[in-house]
Amino acid sequence: MTNELQIMDTLKSFIVSNLAAYRDSDDTSTAFQDKEVILDSPDVDNMQSEMNVWIEPNTVDVEDFTTTEDEQTFNVKLCIVAKRDTSANLRTKVFHAKNAIYRMLRNNQDLGGITDTVDVVSYRYYPQLYDEMGIVGMDIDINVTYTTDWSI
């Protein structure tokens, strides 16, 4: 039975393992190690790397409820943050990461078979975070639709 924790773990695994294959042709840096993709709320002050992705749950909507199964839509927020570079380079890094994540999700709609669909809902770019220069970010809202089978 698919649940929200599985979905977040699978998203992390896909980003760490597959993202480099979906980079822009001029992007040589978008790839993340396991420690740079974090299942938590963003913590820029304790960020060890120059770029991280945080995966955090947002909402779950339950639809088409029956006695044996229901369809759920899980909204997940991916937060990409880059720091320690010029503003132009940081912006480029964040948008390259966003493009790679978008292509990866478009080509893996079922996240390896655990979901029905994955849809990118919106992006929000933040040219300056926490009143500090040299830190930029982007939020990506994703809706993940999956069916929970209660007959087990």
Side-chain angles (χ1 to χ4, degrees):
M1 178 166 66
T2 300
N3 63 47
E4 295 82 4
L5 295 174
Q6 267 185 299
I7 291 169
M8 291 189 301
D9 285 338
T10 302
L11 273 170
K12 176 180 179 168
S13 177
F14 264 78
I15 290 169
V16 171
S17 303
N18 303 320
L19 194 63
Y22 296 100
R23 295 189 297 207
D24 293 327
S25 59
D26 61 339
D27 177 10
T28 57
S29 64
T30 299
F32 293 96
Q33 297 177 20
D34 190 66
K35 67 180 182 175
E36 298 168 329
V37 181
I38 304 157
L39 302 176
D40 201 352
S41 297
D43 184 0
V44 176
D45 293 331
N46 291 316
M47 190 173 150
Q48 302 295 315
S49 305
E50 291 184 6
M51 191 157 67
N52 282 7
V53 174
W54 282 274
I55 301 171
E56 61 180 338
N58 215 4
T59 61
V60 178
D61 295 320
V62 180
E63 303 139 7
D64 298 329
F65 185 72
T66 70
T67 56
T68 58
E69 66 182 26
D70 55 66
E71 185 175 281
Q72 299 187 18
T73 302
F74 179 38
N75 180 265
V76 181
K77 185 181 302 277
L78 302 183
C79 303
I80 305 167
V81 176
K83 65 181 188 177
R84 297 189 196 120
D85 208 336
T86 66
S87 292
N89 287 345
L90 292 171
R91 182 178 55 250
T92 299
K93 288 177 183 179
V94 166
F95 275 90
H96 277 314
K98 184 271 297 180
N99 293 341
I101 288 170
Y102 178 78
R103 275 193 292 280
M104 181 193 72
L105 293 173
R106 290 280 297 151
N107 286 287
N108 296 284
Q109 284 287 302
D110 66 354
L111 292 179
I114 71 162
T115 68
D116 299 330
T117 61
V118 177
D119 297 307
V120 175
V121 178
S122 65
Y123 308 104
R124 278 177 299 288
Y125 174 68
Y126 302 98
Q128 182 176 324
L129 292 176
Y130 303 107
D131 295 327
E132 293 183 35
M133 296 301 291
I135 300 176
V136 301
M138 181 175 289
D139 286 345
I140 304 172
D141 282 327
I142 300 168
N143 280 343
V144 180
T145 304
Y146 61 100
T147 302
T148 302
D149 183 357
W150 298 106
S151 63
I152 299 173

